[in-house]
């Protein structure tokens, strides 16, 4: 029986109760689906002519244009939010108090304000100064949506990056400072690469939120996918009614497919990161080098002494002792004839001197 840190392993009665709850819940969901299908059939929303509107080229073109507008806003807002998140995270981790306070206040402010209010306020502001803003003023809805998504999601991404930087082991940072690196170098070369890699699944999950938040553009009449679907559902009449349900189902399926694709990308990147080989590659051990020879000539191996070699060594030792004793005797009597003096010259033999007169 396996156990978990969060809860104890269920016993026999608990497992039986869980199976009953699973069956009852599944039947309830299935019943709700069946009830919804019957209600749609009664309202005429499942008639073939209702769903035949998607064979119209104009309807498909509207859906395509709305999808491209959504992806364009998402691509621009996603990139800008990542750049803003990196900038704000570095500012919040700065040692300068003014920069740190400004980044913290900016993040807390725009995270607290609802995104819809931010987008609407930017739209009104851009429309008010439309003539002064030039190109941005002509595309007020587009830039209001892009800037609003960038500011809000950039603040969220900043907190994600800051959490990743703080998760880097402190020993690596101290080692970088010990090598003489500045804080900016430690941040760029050590902390940020590891933080981005560790928080990449969370970053992509927030990008999924950015993609879904593009649907708020219909409030400011931006022609994105949801606004295009709403326009089509209100302008098309089939059997005396607007085909709202089929349009919502199709557009909702498109949103689900896009979000699942991004979620799958996050899962794939996370698995690839776990399989990646990291660290410093250790070089293979080299062959041991020969020890340097002390003598120029090779030393012959030791041979065990024999009886003849012992006798020869004894004779040499006795001869050496005799020679040394003779030299000692000569040195005690005086220098021998023709012997070398201390200064290297030869000594002359002593002259014949008469014996001393003993009578005197």
């Amino acid at each position: 029986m396996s156990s978990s840190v969060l809860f104890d392993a269920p016993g026999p009665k608990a497992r039986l109760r869980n199976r009953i709850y699973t069956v009852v819940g599944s039947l309830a969901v299935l019943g709700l689906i069946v009830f919804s299908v019957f209600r749609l059939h009664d309202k005429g929303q499942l008639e073939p002519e209702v769903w035949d509107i998607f064979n119209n080229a104009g309807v498909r073109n509207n859906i395509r244009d709305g999808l491209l507008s959504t992806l364009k806003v998402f691509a621009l807002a996603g990139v800008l939010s990542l750049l803003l998140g990196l900038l704000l995270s570095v500012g919040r981790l700065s040692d300068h108090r003014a920069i740190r306070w400004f980044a913290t206040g900016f993040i807390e402010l725009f995270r607290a304000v609802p995104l819809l209010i931010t987008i609407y306020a930017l739209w009104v502001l851009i429309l008010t100064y439309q003539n002064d803003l030039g190109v941005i003023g002509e595309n007020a809805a587009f830039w209001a949506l892009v800037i609003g998504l960038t500011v809000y999601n950039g603040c969220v991404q900043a907190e994600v990056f800051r959490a990743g930087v703080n998760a880097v082991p402190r020993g690596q940072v101290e080692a970088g400072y010990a090598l003489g690196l500045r804080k900016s170098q430690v941040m760029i070369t050590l902390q940020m690469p590891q933080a981005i890699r560790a928080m990449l699944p969370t970053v992509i999950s927030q990008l999924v939120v950015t993609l879904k938040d593009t649907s708020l553009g219909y409030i400011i009449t931006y022609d994105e996918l949801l606004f295009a679907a709403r326009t089509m559902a209100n302008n098309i009449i089939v059997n005396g009614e607007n085909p709202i349900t089929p349009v919502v189902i199709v557009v909702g399926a498109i949103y689900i497919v896009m979000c699942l694709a991004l979620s799958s990308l996050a899962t794939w990147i996370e698995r690839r990161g776990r399989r990646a080989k990291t660290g410093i590659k250790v070089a293979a051990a080299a062959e041991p080098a020969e020890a340097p020879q002390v003598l120029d000539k090779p030393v012959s191996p030791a041979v065990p002494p024999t009886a003849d070699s012992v006798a020869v060594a004894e004779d040499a030792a006795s001869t050496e002792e005799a020679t040394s004793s003779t030299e000692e005797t000569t040195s005690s009597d005086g220098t021998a004839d023709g012997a070398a003096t201390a200064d290297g010259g030869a000594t002359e033999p002593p002259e014949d001197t008469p014996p001393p007169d003993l009578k005197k």
Side-chain angles (χ1 to χ4, degrees):
M1 182 180 296
S2 61
S3 59
S4 175
V5 178
L6 301 178
F7 57 89
D8 295 333
K13 293 183 179 180
R15 288 198 297 270
L16 178 61
R17 186 167 57 249
N18 292 339
R19 292 192 185 99
I20 294 174
Y21 292 160
T22 301
V23 172
V24 172
S26 301
L27 292 176
V29 173
L30 182 60
L32 181 62
I33 294 175
V34 172
F35 175 76
S36 301
V37 171
F38 275 107
R39 291 293 296 173
L40 291 175
H41 180 71
D42 293 340
K43 295 293 184 179
Q45 297 295 325
L46 299 181
E47 297 297 330
E49 57 270 16
V50 175
W51 293 87
D52 192 56
I53 62 174
F54 297 105
N55 292 326
N56 191 337
V59 173
R60 292 198 301 268
N61 290 335
N62 288 335
I63 294 177
R64 181 199 61 193
D65 295 340
L67 179 60
L68 292 178
S69 299
T70 297
L71 293 178
K72 183 169 63 174
V73 171
F74 165 69
L76 187 57
V79 173
L80 293 178
S81 64
L82 291 177
L83 295 177
L84 181 62
L86 284 173
L87 183 62
L88 291 176
S89 62
V90 172
R92 189 159 187 179
L93 294 171
S94 175
D95 292 334
H96 301 283
R97 184 177 300 178
I99 299 177
R100 186 171 63 251
W101 284 3
F102 174 78
T104 303
F106 187 90
I107 291 172
E108 296 300 330
L109 174 63
F110 285 100
R111 284 181 65 195
V113 176
L115 177 58
L116 184 58
I117 295 177
T118 303
I119 294 174
Y120 190 80
L122 288 170
W123 181 54
V124 173
L125 184 63
I126 294 175
L127 286 178
T128 303
Y129 299 96
Q130 183 175 4
N131 296 328
D132 299 332
L133 295 177
V135 178
I136 296 178
E138 295 178 359
N139 302 311
F142 173 78
W143 287 109
L145 184 59
V146 168
I147 296 174
L149 291 174
T150 299
V151 170
Y152 176 77
N153 292 281
C155 294
V156 178
Q157 298 285 19
E159 292 298 287
V160 173
F161 290 136
R162 186 172 69 92
V165 170
N166 290 333
V168 176
R170 184 63 185 174
Q172 297 187 18
V173 179
E174 294 176 353
Y177 289 146
L179 293 175
L181 299 179
R182 296 188 298 272
K183 184 175 181 179
S184 59
Q185 294 175 326
V186 172
M187 180 73 70
I188 295 173
T189 60
L190 290 178
Q191 293 178 303
M192 272 303 173
Q194 298 186 62
I196 294 174
R197 182 174 181 178
M199 307 305 293
L200 196 56
T202 307
V203 170
I204 297 180
S205 299
Q206 186 60 35
L207 290 178
V208 173
V209 177
T210 305
L211 175 60
K212 293 187 294 184
D213 288 342
T214 56
S215 60
L216 297 176
Y218 83 95
I219 298 295
I220 57 176
T221 67
Y222 177 68
D223 193 13
E224 44 83 38
L225 183 58
L226 184 58
F227 182 81
R230 183 180 180 183
T231 303
M232 288 187 301
N234 292 330
N235 294 331
I236 299 175
I237 298 177
V238 180
N239 295 333
E241 294 183 358
N242 298 113
I244 297 177
T245 302
V247 172
V248 169
I249 291 176
V250 171
V251 172
I254 294 175
Y255 274 109
I256 291 173
V257 169
M258 290 190 298
C259 294
L260 288 178
L262 282 177
S263 300
S264 301
L265 177 62
T267 304
W268 178 78
I269 291 176
E270 185 179 5
R271 291 178 180 176
R272 184 176 178 85
R274 287 199 298 261
R275 291 197 307 265
K277 296 180 180 180
T278 57
I280 300 175
K281 185 178 181 181
V282 180
E287 295 294 333
E290 292 187 7
Q293 298 291 339
V294 178
L295 301 178
D296 295 337
K297 296 182 179 181
V299 181
S300 59
V303 180
T306 59
D308 296 337
S309 61
V310 171
V312 172
E314 291 179 352
D315 294 341
S318 60
T319 303
E320 186 177 357
E321 290 178 358
T323 305
S324 61
S325 61
T326 304
E327 291 177 354
E328 290 176 359
T329 304
T330 305
S331 60
S332 61
D333 294 340
T335 305
D337 296 342
T341 61
D343 57 357
T347 57
E348 297 293 335
E351 296 180 356
D352 294 338
T353 55
D357 191 0
L358 298 177
K359 293 181 180 182
K360 293 181 180 180

